[in-house]
Amino acid sequence: MKKALVAGGGGFIGGHLVESLLGDGFEVRSVDIKPLAEWYQVHDHVENIVSDLGEKEACIAAADGVDVVYNLAADMGGMGFIENNRALCMLSVLINTHLLMAAKDADVSQYFYASSACVYAAGKQTDPNVTALKEADAYPAMPEDGYGWEKLFSERMCRHYYEDFGLETRSGRYHNVYGPNGTWTGGREKAPAAISRKIAEAKLSGNHTIDVWGDGLQTRSFMYIDDCVYGTKALLNSDFREPLNIGSAELISINGLVDLVAEIAGITVERVHDLSAPQGVRGRNSDNTLINDVLGWEPSTTLRDGMERTYAWVYDQVVATR
Ligand code: NAD
């Protein structure tokens, strides 16, 4: 039986990945800095460990005896968090650095790094009518300040760990992942969960006015969690060693996302636009030419299907906390 380490296993994507790896027959060690009570999912028959993977000793212990490492641990959140916490975001470099060092010394055979579409150069994302981003668009580099620079640096470190030490590293550039069992309140949540929460609260309270960050014309694509987990494992098990987009190519504006969720909820809402709120880049989509070539696959869960499941879960959380 192979053993996998999921770093950041108490988080959104990590929790789903642990479940999937158990289904694949892996023995799993899941490590996160948060107290166990705050993990989104705690699975049985898993070695669940609370420790700070920014520390080298914790990484050495975490990588001991494992065959495969998935590094999903990072201090991160939606635009509201990353635009106001650049130093904290950059400190995640300690996690990937120490985990790479530990993985090499422990003779780990495969290593996945969760990178992000935030590595892409800002100048290529100024128009809502976007040209989808190809992997080569990360250079010349001008990523998201703080968070994106850390991701770009860590991608390169993974690359050099292969070139210099033969550690089989893979970097997946996730584009906005969403789904149940993730952050939906508290300031780190991303647009799909935040909009679901606001619309669930509007439905329950009868006050159908909701605030929307920016003018709502900014565009994005959003990938459902099941596609994210599938793409992550498929990339790790491929022989492709360059960073690869893992994202949906279904583009929508934030206003469009609000309309979609309101329709799912069965209400109409009135939007109040907060033009001073963080908005990130103007437009971003994933060019999936390369992932189709490499994996013969691309994320394909429709936004409607994924948001129906996500809204239903967020609605239950809102009800439970009222
Ligand atoms: P998340 O915040 O739910 O999960 C990250 C987990 O890492 C958290 O549970 C956190 O407690 C843990 N962590 C932070 N610092 C740690 C430390 N020092 N030691 C141990 N654990 C630590 O976020 P997520 O959405 O599951 O994201 C997982 C990974 O994917 C992250 O690297 C993130 O940057 C990347 N990513 C996510 C998205 C997205 O849309 N969710 C998009 C692009 C990239």
Side-chain angles (χ1 to χ4, degrees), residues 305-321:
D305 281 356
M307 284 310 300
E308 277 174 3
R309 286 175 248 173
T310 306
Y311 174 76
W313 181 82
V314 173
Y315 180 87
D316 288 347
Q317 310 312 304
V318 174
V319 169
T321 53

Side-chain angles (χ1 to χ4, degrees), residues 134-170:
K134 296 187 295 297
E135 284 74 0
D137 288 324
Y139 295 96
M142 189 44 73
E144 171 76 32
D145 203 1
Y147 179 73
W149 276 109
E150 190 276 321
K151 292 290 185 195
L152 201 59
F153 174 88
S154 292
E155 277 186 2
R156 290 195 82 86
M157 196 150 179
C158 288
R159 169 180 159 171
H160 297 311
Y161 257 73
Y162 171 70
E163 291 171 352
D164 294 0
F165 306 122
L167 177 60
E168 287 287 354
T169 56
R170 305 286 183 270

